[in-house]
Amino acid sequence: MMNRDRSFHRSRASVSTELTECTDLQLYTMLSGGGTRAHEALSMLYKRHSPRIYSYCRKILGDVQATDDIFQETFVRFYEMGVSGQEIQNVQGYLLKISRNLCLNEKAKKYNTSTITIENFEFPSLDTPYEQKELSRLISTALEMLPEDYREVLMLREMYGYSYNEIAEIVETSMPIVRTRIYRAKQKIRVILQPFIDDLYKH
């Protein structure tokens, strides 16, 4: 019996060593179809990337319970996508994308808002509640048309009130780059919305 146990532990150790030597993408490929091998590959990816993903969620959400929930949900969704065979190019980038979307959705629910206020874009005031509501809807639509790196920093700044320094830490870039992205994001939204604004003023 003891010899069998030793053989089992040697086998497990060899599997662990083998997985340690695999790249992230090789491990991700092993998730396809599920099963024991997939769980082992996920465990290795979790070991490699969980500290950074948890830190990211904590920075955005602040609340420990919410962080734990979103953190776990990130890896659940990541595993489900891997099992389904969805192709990706960058494991860490993909995990961050999942966690960012989940965190921003969680923040949106907490603040009960899905749009950025009109005043943040320095549009002239509109006369009627309908026009205000219509412009808010258009801003929300335009926001979805922005490149992801622009949309993220704009939401963190205008919807959730983070400082430029806090945003720079969250997205792991410099504060001047954050300022530039936010400025360009607002400019792009103005360009997208200008024809609609002109049309509203014709009426």
Side-chain angles (χ1 to χ4, degrees):
M1 180 68 177
M2 185 177 295
N3 289 336
R4 289 178 61 186
D5 288 343
R6 288 175 179 172
S7 176
F8 172 77
H9 287 302
R10 283 198 299 270
S11 175
R12 295 287 293 177
S14 64
V15 169
S16 178
T17 301
E18 176 190 348
L19 293 181
T20 300
E21 295 173 351
C22 289
T23 66
D24 283 353
L25 287 178
Q26 287 172 332
L27 291 170
Y28 178 78
T29 301
M30 295 177 193
L31 301 183
S32 182
T36 302
R37 188 68 163 176
H39 291 159
E40 292 173 347
L42 179 65
S43 294
M44 185 60 66
L45 289 169
Y46 182 92
K47 182 178 180 180
R48 290 180 184 179
H49 298 288
S50 59
R52 183 178 184 187
I53 299 302
Y54 185 88
S55 176
Y56 176 84
C57 293
R58 188 77 169 84
K59 286 175 184 176
I60 291 187
L61 297 172
D63 179 74
V64 173
Q65 183 59 55
T67 296
D68 289 344
D69 292 342
I70 296 301
F71 171 71
Q72 295 298 331
E73 182 66 16
T74 295
F75 279 92
V76 168
R77 295 199 182 190
F78 174 77
Y79 179 70
E80 291 173 346
M81 291 296 99
V83 170
S84 70
Q86 179 170 319
E87 294 185 4
I88 64 173
Q89 300 299 319
N90 184 311
V91 168
Q92 181 171 270
Y94 188 63
L95 280 166
L96 278 171
K97 182 177 181 179
I98 295 173
S99 63
R100 283 176 178 177
N101 289 338
L102 290 172
C103 285
L104 292 178
N105 287 342
E106 182 68 17
K107 294 284 285 188
K109 287 191 295 183
K110 179 179 178 181
Y111 284 87
N112 193 30
T113 180
S114 60
T115 62
I116 294 176
T117 60
I118 296 168
E119 289 75 13
N120 290 323
F121 296 89
E122 300 175 1
F123 289 121
S125 60
L126 297 173
D127 295 332
T128 68
Y130 168 79
E131 290 173 338
Q132 292 279 342
K133 183 177 180 180
E134 182 67 10
L135 184 53
S136 293
R137 184 185 68 80
L138 292 171
I139 289 175
S140 181
T141 300
L143 186 65
E144 295 302 315
M145 298 171 65
L146 292 176
E148 185 173 341
D149 54 348
Y150 287 8
R151 180 172 66 251
E152 180 182 28
V153 295
L154 187 62
M155 290 176 68
L156 289 172
R157 175 64 178 173
E158 303 296 352
M159 288 180 68
Y160 309 132
Y162 286 100
S163 70
Y164 290 112
N165 285 327
E166 288 172 329
I167 297 170
E169 184 179 358
I170 289 170
V171 301
E172 298 183 339
T173 190
S174 67
M175 193 266 284
I177 288 178
V178 168
R179 283 184 176 275
T180 298
R181 287 179 181 175
I182 291 173
Y183 173 78
R184 290 179 177 172
K186 289 186 175 183
Q187 289 295 99
K188 285 180 177 291
I189 286 184
R190 289 192 190 100
V191 170
I192 292 170
L193 293 185
Q194 196 58 56
F196 299 99
I197 300 297
D198 292 343
D199 186 62
L200 282 174
Y201 275 98
K202 287 178 182 178
H203 299 86

